[in-house]
Amino acid sequence: MIKSMTGFGKSVSQLPTKKITIEIKSLNSKNQDLNARIPSFYREKELELRNLVAQKLQRGKIDFSLYVELNGEETSSSINTDVVKQYMKQLQALTPDAASIELLKIATRLPDALKTERDEIDEEEYQTVLDGLNEALNAIETYRADEGKVLKEDFELRIKNISSNLEEVIKIDPDRMQGVRERLTKAISDLKAEVDENRFEQELTYYLEKYDITEEKVRLSNHLEYFISSLNSEDSNGKKLAFISQEMGREINTIGSKSNYAPMQQIVVRMKDELEKIKEQLLNVL
C-alpha cells in the first residue's frame, strides 16, 4: 500500500496548569528533512522526540512543533527583584524628576530583569507529551494513507492507459513493418537497377531487424505488470516505483525512435504523456 509524503497531524492535551499542543506537517522531499520547534525546557528530550518522528515518518520535509501554554497559576519566569531595584536606583540618580512608574517600565526591559526557573521535567507531564506525539503521528499516518489511496487510483488509471496504447502498438506493428518493406522495395525499383535477390533479402532482413520493436514491447509489458505488483505490495516505496517508471520511459522512447511510422509515433506521444503524469505524482510517494 503506497502512502503520500504529504500529511498533517495534531494533538492537544490539557493538564491542570498547562496546555500542550503538538503539530506535525510533512511535504514531499527526496530524503528526510526534519525541522523541530521545541520549548527550551524540553531541549534535553529533543533528540528522543526527533528520533520518534523520524522513525515513524521515514521520508519527507517534516515540520514538528511542540507548544506549551501556561495558565495564570504557573509561569516559567519571575521578576528578579533585586536587579530591577538596582536599575531603578541608577536611573533615579540620572533623572531625579522621573516618575517611578516610568523608571519601572525601563528597568524591566533591561538585561536580567527576568529570571527563568528551569525545573526538572516532570515524568508524568513528559508521558503526556509522548502520548500526544503518538496521537499526532497516527493522525498524519492516516492522512498519508488516505492520500496514498488517491494516488494509487491515479497510477492504476495511467498504467491502464499505457497498456491500452501498447496494445494499439502491437496491433499496428505488422502494418508498420510491411510498410517499411514496401518502401525499401519501391526505392530499389525506382533506381531501376538490377540487384542480387539473395543479397537484397539479407540487407532487407538486417534493416528490418534494426526497426524491430518486439523486445521493447515485451519489456514494456513486463515493466507495467511489475509497477502494478509493486503498487499493491505491503510497503510504500516511491523510489522503487520511480526506477520502474524510468525503465518504462526507456522502452517507450526506444519504440518511438524505431517506429518510423506516424500512427505509431502518435501512440508513443500519448504513452509519454501518461508516463509524465505518473512521474510527477511519484514525487509525492513515500
Side-chain angles (χ1 to χ4, degrees):
M1 180 182 71
I2 65 169
K3 295 180 182 178
S4 170
M5 276 187 279
T6 302
F8 179 78
K10 180 178 180 179
S11 72
V12 179
S13 303
Q14 186 66 59
L15 297 175
T17 59
K18 296 178 182 179
K19 178 183 176 182
I20 298 174
T21 304
I22 295 175
E23 292 182 355
I24 306 174
K25 180 178 71 174
S26 70
L27 299 171
N28 63 303
S29 177
K30 287 184 177 181
N31 301 299
Q32 187 181 97
D33 179 12
L34 175 57
N35 178 42
R37 299 185 191 88
I38 299 175
S40 58
F41 49 87
Y42 275 119
R43 287 301 177 191
E44 66 184 79
K45 298 291 187 179
E46 179 176 355
L47 185 59
E48 180 182 348
L49 295 172
R50 289 176 69 97
N51 286 338
L52 288 172
V53 175
Q55 290 171 11
K56 186 75 171 179
L57 301 186
Q58 299 177 29
R59 195 157 68 97
K61 180 175 174 56
I62 304 164
D63 288 323
F64 163 48
S65 301
L66 170 61
Y67 304 102
V68 178
E69 298 177 50
L70 303 176
N71 62 24
E73 298 175 6
E74 181 177 322
T75 60
S76 59
S77 300
S78 60
I79 297 174
N80 200 336
T81 307
D82 293 336
V83 172
V84 172
K85 285 181 178 179
Q86 285 297 320
Y87 281 144
M88 291 184 68
K89 184 177 180 181
Q90 294 175 40
L91 292 168
Q92 187 73 55
L94 292 173
T95 54
D97 298 331
S100 297
I101 188 66
E102 294 300 323
L103 297 179
L104 180 61
K105 289 180 181 179
I106 298 172
T108 53
R109 296 194 193 103
L110 296 175
D112 301 322
L114 296 177
K115 58 182 178 181
T116 301
E117 298 177 0
R118 293 178 56 90
D119 297 329
E120 292 294 324
I121 295 176
D122 181 73
E123 288 302 319
E124 186 175 345
E125 177 184 318
Y126 183 60
Q127 185 59 49
T128 301
V129 171
L130 292 178
D131 293 341
L133 177 59
N134 286 325
E135 182 183 339
L137 287 172
N138 289 334
I140 195 173
E141 281 286 275
T142 301
Y143 194 115
R144 283 180 157 194
D146 291 341
E147 287 285 309
K149 290 177 182 177
V150 176
L151 290 174
K152 183 174 182 288
E153 290 175 1
D154 186 69
F155 289 143
E156 289 173 338
L157 174 63
R158 304 300 173 193
I159 293 296
K160 183 180 178 180
N161 291 341
I162 294 176
S163 296
S164 298
N165 286 317
L166 179 58
E167 289 175 6
E168 288 187 49
V169 167
I170 294 171
K171 184 177 179 180
I172 68 172
D173 194 31
D175 294 336
R176 177 187 71 95
M177 296 301 287
Q178 182 61 31
V180 172
R181 178 183 287 272
E182 289 174 357
R183 286 200 304 274
L184 287 173
T185 304
K186 186 177 183 300
I188 293 296
S189 176
D190 290 344
L191 289 174
K192 296 180 180 180
E194 291 188 12
V195 295
D196 184 307
E197 287 297 328
N198 289 332
R199 179 61 184 271
F200 175 70
E201 283 297 326
Q202 290 175 0
E203 293 294 333
L204 181 60
T205 300
Y206 172 75
Y207 188 78
L208 292 176
E209 284 178 353
K210 288 179 62 178
Y211 285 87
D212 182 65
I213 58 171
T214 302
E215 207 174 317
E216 286 75 15
K217 291 185 294 186
V218 172
R219 281 203 295 258
L220 179 56
S221 180
N222 289 337
H223 292 329
L224 292 171
E225 291 177 4
Y226 189 33
F227 190 96
I228 290 296
S229 66
S230 298
L231 202 60
N232 293 319
S233 63
E234 292 287 331
D235 61 334
S236 177
N237 194 333
K239 291 183 178 180
K240 179 180 178 181
L241 292 173
F243 177 75
I244 298 172
S245 70
Q246 287 179 358
E247 294 303 304
M248 289 161 52
R250 197 189 311 277
E251 304 306 333
I252 293 172
N253 288 333
T254 304
I255 291 173
S257 62
K258 283 186 174 184
S259 65
N260 197 24
Y261 187 53
M264 187 176 288
Q265 288 172 335
Q266 291 171 4
I267 298 172
V268 167
V269 169
R270 295 203 298 268
M271 287 196 288
K272 285 184 177 180
D273 183 51
E274 295 293 333
L275 184 60
E276 283 304 311
K277 291 174 182 176
I278 288 175
K279 288 182 176 180
E280 185 177 347
Q281 292 286 35
L282 279 174
L283 296 175
N284 296 315
V285 177
L286 179 65

